[in-house]
Structure formats: C-alpha cells, structure tokens
Amino acid sequence: MRIDILSVLPELLQSPFEHSIMKRAQEKGLLEVHVHALRKWAVNEYGQIDDYQYGGGAGMVMMCEPLAKAIEELSSTNHYAEIIYLTPDGKTFDQRTANMLSLKENILIICGHYKGIDERIRQHFVTREISIGDYVLSGGELAAAVLVDSIGRLIPGVLNDETSALFDSFQDNLLAPPVYTRPEDFRGWKVPEILMSGDHKKIDEWRHEQALLRTKERRPDLTDEV
Ligand code: ADE
C-alpha cells in the first residue's frame, strides 16, 4: 500500500513512521509513506496556500488551486482508492474503518489547517472525511499519523505474529482483556491463577469473560452494537 499525505507542515510527520512497526512495514515493502509539502503547489512565490474566507469572519481557508493541482499531479502517477480529508466534522474513525482502509491499494490524505479547506475540494475530490475524535487539533497532521499507524499495522504481513491484531481491542467490538508478565507476585499483587494453569481452553474462556466485563463497564455502547 502506498499512502501520500498532503501537508502544510510536513516536518510534523517526519518521525512517526520511522520507528517500530511502521518502520518494519516499510522495510518489508508492504507500506510506502510519502509526505508532500503543499507549498510546492502554492499560488505565488510567497508560498501562499490560504486566503480570507468569503463572507468575512476570522481565520484563513486553504485555497482550491494548490490542493487541486497537488491532487491531480499525484493522481496522474498513482491511482487512489480513497482521497481522505481529515477534519473534526468528518465521520469518527474506528477500528472497522481502519480494517477496511488497510485493504486498499493507495490512499491520499489531506491534512487541514486554519479554518479548513475550500468546500469545493471536498465536493469534487475528497471521497471520505474522517475525524479522529470529538476535539479540535491545530491541524490534520497528528490525525494523519494516527490514521497511518492504525491502518499500516493491519496490512497483511506487517505484524510478526499475524494473529495478534485479531486480539486487539475493538476487533470484535470488545476491549482487550488484562495482560500480565513476570513476576508472578509483585509486592503481593498476584497474577490470576488461571493464567498459570496451562489449560488453554480455560484461559481463552477467562480472557473472553474479562473482555466482556471490561467492555460492559467501560464501553457499553460497543456491546449494544453487536
Ligand atoms: N483536524 C483538526 N481536528 C481534527 C480531528 N479531531 N480529526 C481529524 N482531523 C482534525
């Protein structure tokens, strides 16, 4: 999968994909991430990409021309299954969307800034609008890092133990059960005995029960959907 990201602040996206699982995914040739400075397509030599909004009001709007040119230039060499605009008024991102996007071939992500992008770009180029939560970030870059990380780790072959993503929180609309490691007794706080029993059927049942309990307690809205 190839992911292109259009950003006013590409520096913000230098490090997030250079470590751990994202690094491995790229080394294995399963994921390519390209961050593009939108100013490359600025309307003048001052690097202008935004302007005052029609109708008045505080805050600048990202202009049509730099975005349209960038999208068209990148689309001439890559076919994008999705052109995603990151915005707080988009549809809330979840694991189901991450799963679905991890199966796409190429994705183009637009990071918003200021008051956002001109509505005409949303209407004529964008195929999906995503918010990572009900709060407002200074720009879409951190949201893009969240999106790419959550999608990238789901690409088949990226995780070493292929099954491990299956047991992540949310994969079955359930939160993950508690986990423990050595020592067995830390300051008198003991690991549940069942985990030491060696009975894998019982352990699986216990984990499932714990996942259900935790979900009921913390996120009853998830079980409502099942
Ligand atoms: N840009 C600003 N806030 C955002 C959010 N919550 N999700 C996605 N993009 C954003």
Side-chain angles (χ1 to χ4, degrees), residues 86-88 112 130-140 143:
L86 291 166
T87 173
I130 293 179
S131 161
I132 62 157
D134 289 343
Y135 41 81
V136 178
L137 302 165
S138 312

Side-chain angles (χ1 to χ4, degrees), residues 5-223:
I5 306 175
L6 277 173
S7 163
V8 184
L9 280 175
E11 299 82 4
L12 264 180
L13 288 167
Q14 251 161 24
S15 162
F17 316 122
E18 287 174 3
H19 309 276
S20 178
I21 293 173
M22 288 305 102
K23 181 178 176 199
R24 217 170 50 222
Q26 291 173 88
E27 283 171 354
K28 282 184 175 174
L30 298 169
L31 174 67
E32 265 182 57
V33 183
H34 300 268
V35 183
H36 307 273
L38 185 64
R39 283 192 208 283
K40 187 179 153 198
W41 292 275
V43 293
N44 54 33
E45 70 266 32
Y46 308 111
Q48 188 183 357
I49 46 91
D50 60 343
D51 211 335
Y52 296 102
Q53 53 178 316
Y54 279 120
M60 306 292 272
V61 174
M62 288 167 68
M63 302 167 81
C64 282
E65 188 177 317
L67 283 165
K69 279 190 168 161
I71 294 167
E72 280 163 356
E73 187 177 322
L74 291 169
S75 300
S76 69
T77 45
N78 311 291
H79 172 261
Y80 296 109
E82 296 274 0
I83 298 181
I84 298 171
Y85 173 45
L86 291 166
T87 173
D89 59 7
K91 188 159 182 283
T92 309
F93 190 56
D94 58 14
Q95 191 68 19
R96 190 183 308 188
T97 312
N99 283 332
M100 181 270 292
L101 292 174
S102 73
L103 302 174
K104 305 277 181 186
E105 203 175 337
N106 301 316
I107 292 175
L108 176 59
I109 297 175
I110 303 169
C111 302
H113 261 267
Y114 322 112
K115 278 277 164 196
I117 68 175
D118 190 297
E119 187 67 19
R120 290 165 289 185
I121 295 295
R122 297 171 75 156
Q123 285 168 351
H124 297 285
F125 291 101
V126 170
T127 61
R128 190 179 291 272
E129 301 188 331
I130 293 179
S131 161
I132 62 157
D134 289 343
Y135 41 81
V136 178
L137 302 165
S138 312
E141 283 75 13
L142 297 182
V146 168
L147 218 70
V148 173
D149 190 289
S150 57
I151 293 169
R153 62 195 294 287
L154 292 171
I155 297 171
V158 167
L159 293 180
N160 267 348
D161 176 359
E162 279 250 31
T163 59
S164 71
L166 296 177
F167 297 106
D168 283 348
S169 281
F170 305 114
Q171 284 294 7
D172 297 321
N173 271 350
L174 285 180
L175 300 182
V179 290
Y180 299 85
T181 185
R182 285 189 294 183
E184 206 176 311
D185 184 337
F186 178 67
R187 299 182 180 172
W189 305 330
K190 305 238 170 60
V191 172
E193 257 173 45
I194 181 91
L195 295 177
M196 248 78 67
S197 68
D199 184 337
H200 290 289
K201 190 165 171 282
K202 285 238 162 72
I203 291 172
D204 283 350
E205 281 166 13
W206 179 85
R207 285 183 170 148
H208 186 65
E209 268 167 35
Q210 292 293 315
L212 279 170
L213 266 175
R214 195 160 263 202
T215 310
K216 248 189 175 160
E217 248 172 50
R218 301 180 183 188
R219 293 292 307 276
D221 56 303
L222 292 176
T223 40

